[in-house]
Amino acid sequence: ATQRTLSIIKPDAVAKNVIGEIYTRFEKAGLQVIASKMVHLSKEQAEGFYAEHSERGFFGELVGFMTSGPVMIQALEGEEAIAKNRDLMGATNPKEAAAGTIRADFATSIDANAVHGSDAPAAAEREIAYFFGENEICPRG
Ligand code: CMP
C-alpha cells in the first residue's frame, strides 16, 4: 500500500553536504519528497520529537546532537514507504549497517547516524504532523 514516512537528514549529513545524494537514493527507490524544510531545531522541538526516548540514557546526547546544526526534514510517499526508507537507511548503529545503505556510507556513530526514519505507521503520522501542516504537504498522486 502507499504510505508516508517522516525522514530527517541529521546535522552530520547536512554538514557533509550530502543532502542531494540522500534525496537521490529516495527518488531512485521510488519515494517522492512531498514536503521538506530545513530547520535548526530548538531543544524544545528536539525533546518533543523524541519524547518516546526521554527516559533513555542517551536522551541528552540525542537532543544535544540533533540541535547541533541544521537538519533537513522531509515527508516521503510511496509503496511501503516506511520499510523502504528503513531499508535505504540501514541499521541504527552504522557499524551494523549493511553495505550500500545510507548509514554505512555516510554515518559515523550511533548518534551521528545521518538519518532518521519513522518506524511504524502511527509514528509516521505523528512525526509528519509534528513538522508539517496539511498545507505544506504536496502529494502528486
Ligand atoms: P533515530 O532513528 O533518530 O531515533 C533515536 C536516535 O537515538 C537513534 O536514531 C540514534 O541516533 C540515537 N541513539 C543513541 N544511542 C542509541 C541507542 N543505544 N539505541 C538506539 N538509538 C540510539
Side-chain angles (χ1 to χ4, degrees):
T2 300
Q3 289 178 331
R4 292 178 181 179
T5 191
L6 193 279
S7 160
I8 302 178
I9 301 178
K10 296 189 180 188
D12 57 316
V14 172
K16 281 183 182 152
N17 210 26
V18 292
I19 294 169
E21 290 195 44
I22 293 172
Y23 269 40
T24 297
R25 292 180 185 217
F26 298 151
E27 292 176 344
K28 288 199 164 146
L31 297 174
Q32 292 180 329
V33 177
I34 60 166
S36 73
K37 62 175 75 166
M38 188 172 242
V39 184
H40 194 145
L41 295 174
S42 68
K43 185 166 179 279
E44 291 68 29
Q45 276 178 305
E47 285 175 347
F49 181 76
Y50 282 118
E52 68 182 295
H53 296 303
S54 61
E55 303 304 314
R56 306 287 293 273
F58 59 79
F59 188 64
E61 277 175 66
L62 172 60
V63 170
F65 178 68
M66 290 301 290
T67 57
S68 67
V71 298
M72 192 74 186
I73 308 173
Q74 43 284 327
L76 305 175
E77 186 172 82
E79 191 65 22
E80 303 299 332
I82 295 168
K84 205 174 260 185
N85 183 43
R86 292 181 74 77
D87 287 348
L88 292 174
M89 291 193 295
T92 303
N93 185 344
K95 293 190 185 92
E96 295 161 10
T101 60
I102 293 169
R103 284 166 171 157
D105 290 344
F106 302 122
T108 51
S109 72
I110 196 160
D111 285 304
N113 69 346
V115 280
H116 166 83
S118 309
D119 64 3
E125 195 173 338
R126 180 190 81 83
E127 292 177 1
I128 291 170
Y130 190 84
F131 287 118
F132 296 107
E134 267 311 313
N135 65 335
E136 295 177 295
I137 300 173
C138 305
R140 257 101 56 225

